[in-house]
Amino acid sequence: MTDDQKLDLARRMFEAWDTMDWDGVVDMFADDGVLHSVMQEPVVGRAAIAERMAILGSKAERITLHIKALGIIDGRVFVERVDDFDFDGHHGEVPVVGILRMADGTITEWLEYYDRPTLLAGMGITDDFGH
């Protein structure tokens, strides 16, 4: 994939989050793709990613990914953003850095770095989940 194709795929992914198109999110991953919030175990494969998106989608009311910086370093897409969301009656904002690896028009790995307690507080969750 060219750098332009990678950036286009990343932008389409962020738009799918903004519109809460969870099927579209899942479809952009490779069959054995990985979604990894680095403070948790990775979610591996489209089926597992679809399960995670279903959980998120069941309580997400709105999400906007405010992109601050987007670029390619060593063939990977790096994004700095602030996720602004309403989840189960709670509002939150959390700064995030994501790193996406891509091949054959799909995302093969998406690493997410953020402060988990800030995310959970914004979601109104007092007990952690997903371990």
Side-chain angles (χ1 to χ4, degrees):
M1 292 179 67
T2 68
D3 286 354
D4 284 343
Q5 290 170 324
K6 290 176 183 179
L7 290 171
D8 180 60
L9 179 57
R11 288 183 182 106
R12 285 187 286 127
M13 175 61 83
F14 305 147
E15 181 179 331
W17 279 82
D18 286 348
T19 60
M20 299 191 326
D21 175 8
W22 306 124
D23 290 337
V25 167
V26 173
D27 289 345
M28 284 184 249
F29 277 92
D31 289 340
D32 60 351
V34 176
L35 176 61
H36 189 185
S37 296
V38 297
M39 62 292 300
Q40 295 183 279
E41 291 298 313
V43 179
V44 180
R46 275 191 181 159
I49 293 168
E51 286 177 23
R52 180 61 58 90
M53 294 299 102
I55 293 167
L56 178 65
S58 70
K59 294 188 178 183
E61 299 156 1
R62 180 193 63 81
I63 186 165
T64 303
L65 307 184
H66 298 286
I67 307 303
K68 303 296 183 187
L70 180 66
I72 304 275
I73 302 173
D74 291 337
R76 295 178 217 141
V77 175
F78 282 71
V79 59
E80 175 191 9
R81 64 181 203 266
V82 175
D83 293 359
D84 178 359
F85 56 88
D86 295 317
F87 183 87
D88 199 24
H90 300 274
H91 176 260
E93 293 184 14
V94 62
V96 181
V97 172
I99 303 169
L100 295 88
R101 293 176 192 259
M102 302 171 180
D104 301 321
T106 61
I107 294 169
T108 58
E109 181 182 51
W110 186 353
L111 303 173
E112 292 279 281
Y113 297 89
Y114 55 86
D115 181 65
R116 190 153 178 84
T118 301
L119 173 69
L120 295 176
M123 296 170 81
I125 296 174
T126 56
D127 294 323
D128 205 343
F129 62 91
H131 289 287

